[in-house]
Amino acid sequence: MNLEHVLVSRDADFVTITMNRPQRRNALSLDHLRELIGAFGAAGDGDASGIILAGAGPVFSAGHDFADVAEADQDGVNLILDTCRQLMELIESVPQPVVARVHGLATAAGCQLVATCDLAVAADTAGFAAPGGKGGWFCHTPMVAIARNIGRKRAAEMAYTGDTITAAQALDWGLVNRVVPAAELDDAVADLLGRATRGSRASKALGKRTLYQQLSLPEADAYRLATKVMAESSQSAAAREGMAAFLGKRPPKWTD
Protein backbone atom coordinates (compact mmCIF):
# COMPACT_ATOMS: atom_id res chain seq x y z
CA MET A 1 0.00 0.00 0.00
CA ASN A 2 1.11 3.54 -0.76
CA LEU A 3 0.34 5.31 2.51
CA GLU A 4 0.77 8.97 3.39
CA HIS A 5 -0.87 9.20 6.82
CA VAL A 6 -0.27 5.71 8.24
CA LEU A 7 2.81 3.61 9.01
CA VAL A 8 2.60 -0.20 9.03
CA SER A 9 5.31 -2.39 10.53
CA ARG A 10 5.65 -6.02 11.52
CA ASP A 11 7.52 -7.54 14.46
CA ALA A 12 7.27 -11.32 14.59
CA ASP A 13 3.55 -12.16 14.83
CA PHE A 14 2.29 -8.63 15.48
CA VAL A 15 1.45 -5.84 13.04
CA THR A 16 1.61 -2.24 14.28
CA ILE A 17 -0.54 0.36 12.52
CA THR A 18 0.59 3.86 13.47
CA MET A 19 -1.40 7.01 12.78
CA ASN A 20 1.25 9.32 11.35
CA ARG A 21 -0.14 12.85 11.17
CA PRO A 22 1.66 14.32 14.20
CA GLN A 23 1.46 17.85 12.77
CA ARG A 24 -2.37 17.48 12.82
CA ARG A 25 -2.44 15.62 16.18
CA ASN A 26 -3.36 12.48 14.23
CA ALA A 27 -6.72 14.00 13.32
CA LEU A 28 -8.91 11.66 11.28
CA SER A 29 -9.31 13.26 7.87
CA LEU A 30 -11.20 11.34 5.22
CA ASP A 31 -7.95 10.25 3.56
CA HIS A 32 -6.52 9.20 6.93
CA LEU A 33 -9.62 7.13 7.69
CA ARG A 34 -9.42 5.45 4.31
CA GLU A 35 -5.76 4.60 4.83
CA LEU A 36 -6.53 3.12 8.23
CA ILE A 37 -9.27 1.00 6.66
CA GLY A 38 -6.79 -0.24 4.06
CA ALA A 39 -4.17 -1.02 6.69
CA PHE A 40 -6.57 -2.87 8.98
CA GLY A 41 -8.07 -4.75 6.05
CA ALA A 42 -4.64 -5.93 4.91
CA ALA A 43 -3.58 -6.89 8.43
CA GLY A 44 -6.85 -8.71 9.01
CA ASP A 45 -6.37 -10.73 5.82
CA GLY A 46 -2.76 -11.56 6.67
CA ASP A 47 -1.16 -14.14 8.95
CA ALA A 48 -0.38 -11.87 11.91
CA SER A 49 -1.79 -13.06 15.21
CA GLY A 50 -2.33 -9.58 16.71
CA ILE A 51 -2.60 -5.91 15.74
CA ILE A 52 -1.44 -2.79 17.63
CA LEU A 53 -2.93 0.65 16.92
CA ALA A 54 -0.58 3.49 17.85
CA GLY A 55 -0.12 7.20 17.22
CA ALA A 56 2.98 9.20 16.27
CA GLY A 57 3.85 12.46 17.99
CA PRO A 58 2.63 13.76 21.35
CA VAL A 59 -1.09 12.96 20.82
CA PHE A 60 -2.74 9.58 20.18
CA SER A 61 -5.56 11.16 18.13
CA ALA A 62 -7.53 14.39 18.35
CA GLY A 63 -10.54 12.92 16.55
CA HIS A 64 -12.10 14.19 13.35
CA ASP A 65 -10.15 16.77 11.37
CA PHE A 66 -12.15 20.00 11.62
CA ALA A 67 -10.35 21.31 8.54
CA ASP A 68 -12.28 18.66 6.57
CA VAL A 69 -15.54 19.02 8.45
CA ALA A 70 -15.71 22.82 8.36
CA GLU A 71 -15.53 22.84 4.57
CA ALA A 72 -18.05 20.05 4.01
CA ASP A 73 -21.80 20.19 3.48
CA GLN A 74 -24.09 17.71 5.24
CA ASP A 75 -23.52 15.01 2.64
CA GLY A 76 -19.78 15.51 2.96
CA VAL A 77 -19.87 15.24 6.74
CA ASN A 78 -22.05 12.15 6.46
CA LEU A 79 -19.40 10.59 4.20
CA ILE A 80 -16.67 11.31 6.78
CA LEU A 81 -18.74 9.89 9.63
CA ASP A 82 -19.81 6.83 7.63
CA THR A 83 -16.19 6.13 6.69
CA CYS A 84 -15.29 6.38 10.37
CA ARG A 85 -18.07 3.91 11.18
CA GLN A 86 -16.64 1.51 8.59
CA LEU A 87 -13.25 1.72 10.32
CA MET A 88 -14.74 1.03 13.74
CA GLU A 89 -16.70 -1.95 12.43
CA LEU A 90 -13.59 -3.27 10.67
CA ILE A 91 -11.53 -3.13 13.88
CA GLU A 92 -14.18 -5.27 15.54
CA SER A 93 -14.45 -7.67 12.60
CA VAL A 94 -10.79 -8.46 11.84
CA PRO A 95 -10.01 -11.90 13.28
CA GLN A 96 -7.04 -10.76 15.37
CA PRO A 97 -7.14 -9.12 18.80
CA VAL A 98 -6.47 -5.38 18.43
CA VAL A 99 -4.74 -3.40 21.19
CA ALA A 100 -4.72 0.39 21.35
CA ARG A 101 -1.35 1.75 22.48
CA VAL A 102 -2.35 5.08 24.02
CA HIS A 103 0.63 7.25 24.87
CA GLY A 104 -1.08 10.67 24.92
CA LEU A 105 -4.38 12.46 24.59
CA ALA A 106 -7.27 10.64 22.85
CA THR A 107 -10.27 12.86 22.20
CA ALA A 108 -13.61 12.53 20.40
CA ALA A 109 -13.19 10.02 17.54
CA GLY A 110 -9.70 9.34 18.89
CA CYS A 111 -11.27 8.19 22.13
CA GLN A 112 -13.80 6.27 20.03
CA LEU A 113 -10.89 4.37 18.51
CA VAL A 114 -9.63 3.40 21.97
CA ALA A 115 -13.10 2.26 23.00
CA THR A 116 -13.51 0.24 19.79
CA CYS A 117 -10.23 -1.69 20.02
CA ASP A 118 -10.56 -5.04 21.76
CA LEU A 119 -8.00 -4.05 24.37
CA ALA A 120 -6.23 -0.84 25.39
CA VAL A 121 -3.06 -0.06 27.32
CA ALA A 122 -2.41 3.54 28.33
CA ALA A 123 0.58 5.42 29.61
CA ASP A 124 -0.04 7.25 32.86
CA THR A 125 0.41 10.46 30.84
CA ALA A 126 -2.60 9.73 28.60
CA GLY A 127 -5.95 11.49 28.79
CA PHE A 128 -9.37 10.82 27.32
CA ALA A 129 -12.23 13.14 26.39
CA ALA A 130 -15.40 13.59 24.36
CA PRO A 131 -15.13 17.39 24.25
CA GLY A 132 -18.11 18.13 22.05
CA GLY A 133 -20.34 18.55 25.09
CA LYS A 134 -18.64 21.81 26.01
CA GLY A 135 -18.73 23.11 22.46
CA GLY A 136 -21.13 23.33 19.56
CA TRP A 137 -20.86 19.86 17.98
CA PHE A 138 -21.79 17.07 20.40
CA CYS A 139 -19.80 13.81 20.21
CA HIS A 140 -22.74 11.69 19.05
CA THR A 141 -20.83 8.97 17.18
CA PRO A 142 -17.83 8.70 19.55
CA MET A 143 -20.23 8.06 22.42
CA VAL A 144 -21.61 4.95 20.70
CA ALA A 145 -18.37 3.12 21.46
CA ILE A 146 -17.41 5.01 24.60
CA ALA A 147 -20.76 4.47 26.34
CA ARG A 148 -20.60 0.74 25.67
CA ASN A 149 -17.32 0.62 27.57
CA ILE A 150 -18.03 2.75 30.61
CA GLY A 151 -21.78 2.64 31.29
CA ARG A 152 -24.58 5.19 31.24
CA LYS A 153 -23.79 7.56 34.11
CA ARG A 154 -20.10 7.88 33.35
CA ALA A 155 -20.84 8.19 29.64
CA ALA A 156 -23.23 11.04 30.39
CA GLU A 157 -20.58 12.78 32.48
CA MET A 158 -17.97 12.51 29.76
CA ALA A 159 -20.40 13.53 27.03
CA TYR A 160 -22.06 16.46 28.80
CA THR A 161 -19.04 18.02 30.49
CA GLY A 162 -16.48 17.37 27.76
CA ASP A 163 -13.88 17.15 30.52
CA THR A 164 -10.69 15.14 30.07
CA ILE A 165 -10.36 12.13 32.34
CA THR A 166 -6.98 10.79 33.42
CA ALA A 167 -5.56 7.41 32.53
CA ALA A 168 -6.28 6.28 36.09
CA GLN A 169 -9.93 7.28 35.72
CA ALA A 170 -10.10 5.55 32.33
CA LEU A 171 -8.85 2.36 33.98
CA ASP A 172 -11.35 2.65 36.81
CA TRP A 173 -14.20 3.33 34.37
CA GLY A 174 -13.34 0.40 32.09
CA LEU A 175 -12.12 2.34 29.05
CA VAL A 176 -8.63 0.78 29.17
CA ASN A 177 -7.20 -2.49 30.47
CA ARG A 178 -3.87 -1.33 31.86
CA VAL A 179 -2.13 1.90 32.87
CA VAL A 180 1.65 1.90 33.12
CA PRO A 181 4.49 4.44 33.24
CA ALA A 182 5.23 5.79 29.78
CA ALA A 183 8.62 4.06 29.68
CA GLU A 184 6.90 0.69 30.18
CA LEU A 185 4.15 1.16 27.58
CA ASP A 186 5.63 -0.93 24.77
CA ASP A 187 6.44 -3.82 27.08
CA ALA A 188 2.94 -3.74 28.59
CA VAL A 189 1.31 -3.72 25.14
CA ALA A 190 3.46 -6.65 23.99
CA ASP A 191 2.74 -8.59 27.18
CA LEU A 192 -1.05 -8.15 26.97
CA LEU A 193 -1.22 -8.89 23.26
CA GLY A 194 1.04 -11.89 23.70
CA ARG A 195 -1.29 -13.37 26.28
CA ALA A 196 -4.37 -12.45 24.22
CA THR A 197 -3.07 -14.29 21.16
CA ARG A 198 -2.23 -17.62 22.77
CA GLY A 199 -4.00 -20.68 21.42
CA SER A 200 -5.67 -21.46 18.12
CA ARG A 201 -6.02 -18.48 15.77
CA ALA A 202 -9.20 -19.90 14.23
CA SER A 203 -10.76 -20.43 17.64
CA LYS A 204 -9.79 -16.89 18.69
CA ALA A 205 -11.30 -15.39 15.51
CA LEU A 206 -14.58 -17.23 16.08
CA GLY A 207 -14.52 -16.18 19.73
CA LYS A 208 -14.06 -12.52 18.86
CA ARG A 209 -16.85 -12.57 16.30
CA THR A 210 -19.27 -14.30 18.65
CA LEU A 211 -18.36 -12.07 21.59
CA TYR A 212 -19.43 -8.95 19.72
CA GLN A 213 -22.52 -10.63 18.29
CA GLN A 214 -23.79 -11.78 21.68
CA LEU A 215 -23.05 -8.46 23.39
CA SER A 216 -25.62 -6.79 21.13
CA LEU A 217 -28.35 -9.31 21.99
CA PRO A 218 -30.75 -9.75 24.92
CA GLU A 219 -29.44 -12.32 27.40
CA ALA A 220 -31.68 -15.19 26.29
CA ASP A 221 -30.77 -14.67 22.63
CA ALA A 222 -27.11 -14.31 23.56
CA TYR A 223 -27.18 -17.67 25.30
CA ARG A 224 -28.86 -19.32 22.32
CA LEU A 225 -26.21 -17.96 19.97
CA ALA A 226 -23.31 -18.82 22.28
CA THR A 227 -24.65 -22.35 22.89
CA LYS A 228 -25.00 -23.00 19.16
CA VAL A 229 -21.52 -21.69 18.33
CA MET A 230 -19.88 -23.48 21.26
CA ALA A 231 -21.51 -26.82 20.38
CA GLU A 232 -20.55 -26.49 16.72
CA SER A 233 -16.99 -25.44 17.47
CA SER A 234 -16.51 -28.37 19.87
CA GLN A 235 -16.07 -30.50 16.77
CA SER A 236 -13.30 -28.35 15.29
CA ALA A 237 -9.72 -29.52 14.97
CA ALA A 238 -8.58 -26.86 17.43
CA ALA A 239 -11.10 -27.85 20.09
CA ARG A 240 -10.32 -31.52 19.67
CA GLU A 241 -6.57 -30.88 19.97
CA GLY A 242 -7.07 -28.67 23.04
CA MET A 243 -9.12 -31.33 24.82
CA ALA A 244 -6.77 -34.15 23.81
CA ALA A 245 -3.78 -32.18 25.07
CA PHE A 246 -5.51 -31.44 28.37
CA LEU A 247 -6.53 -35.06 28.90
CA GLY A 248 -3.12 -36.30 27.78
CA LYS A 249 -1.33 -33.81 30.03
CA ARG A 250 0.79 -32.51 27.14
CA PRO A 251 1.25 -29.15 25.40
CA PRO A 252 -1.21 -28.62 22.53
CA LYS A 253 0.03 -28.53 18.93
CA TRP A 254 -1.91 -25.92 16.96
CA THR A 255 -2.03 -26.25 13.19
CA ASP A 256 -3.25 -22.67 12.62
Side-chain angles (χ1 to χ4, degrees):
M1 291 180 292
N2 184 20
L3 302 173
E4 179 183 358
H5 305 301
V6 173
L7 300 175
V8 179
S9 61
R10 173 111 183 216
D11 183 9
D13 289 333
F14 300 156
V15 167
T16 298
I17 298 171
T18 303
M19 296 177 284
N20 190 36
R21 299 185 76 209
Q23 74 284 2
R24 296 291 300 165
R25 297 163 63 89
N26 294 322
L28 300 172
S29 66
L30 184 59
D31 287 343
H32 190 188
L33 288 166
R34 286 171 170 164
E35 288 191 8
L36 285 168
I37 287 172
F40 270 100
D45 290 339
D47 63 354
S49 60
I51 301 172
I52 299 166
L53 176 62
V59 171
F60 177 77
S61 175
H64 289 296
D65 193 331
F66 279 9
D68 272 13
V69 177
E71 296 177 355
D73 59 14
Q74 183 173 329
D75 287 341
V77 175
N78 190 75
L79 175 61
I80 294 168
L81 296 175
D82 192 58
T83 304
C84 186
R85 174 192 58 79
Q86 292 173 40
L87 172 61
M88 302 301 164
E89 291 179 348
L90 178 59
I91 289 171
E92 290 190 348
S93 67
V94 294
Q96 301 94 335
V98 180
V99 178
R101 176 195 181 278
V102 192
H103 68 291
L105 189 63
T107 64
C111 191
Q112 182 183 2
L113 276 172
V114 177
T116 299
C117 288
D118 303 306
L119 304 163
V121 180
D124 54 11
T125 52
F128 305 84
K134 61 182 179 183
W137 195 34
F138 199 84
C139 288
H140 301 283
T141 52
M143 292 311 303
V144 173
I146 296 169
R148 283 163 169 74
N149 279 239
I150 66 177
R152 179 174 173 175
K153 290 292 190 292
R154 286 166 170 167
E157 181 177 342
M158 280 194 75
Y160 298 165
T161 67
D163 291 342
T164 299
I165 64 170
T166 65
Q169 284 177 286
L171 178 63
D172 181 54
W173 290 11
L175 187 59
V176 301
N177 298 85
R178 302 282 187 280
V179 173
V180 297
E184 300 174 14
L185 184 57
D186 287 329
D187 287 343
V189 169
D191 174 71
L192 180 57
L193 190 54
R195 289 184 288 112
T197 53
R198 291 178 293 198
S200 161
R201 290 187 63 210
S203 175
K204 191 88 64 180
L206 178 61
K208 176 174 175 176
R209 183 166 67 248
T210 307
L211 174 64
Y212 287 120
Q213 287 176 338
Q214 64 94 356
L215 283 172
S216 68
L217 298 173
E219 184 174 324
D221 293 337
Y223 268 120
R224 278 190 285 271
L225 172 65
T227 299
K228 177 177 181 294
V229 173
M230 198 160 186
E232 290 174 349
S233 63
S234 71
Q235 305 306 301
S236 70
R240 290 296 176 178
E241 169 59 14
M243 288 183 274
F246 177 80
L247 293 172
K249 298 181 180 180
R250 61 171 175 81
K253 298 177 181 178
W254 309 117
T255 59
D256 59 353

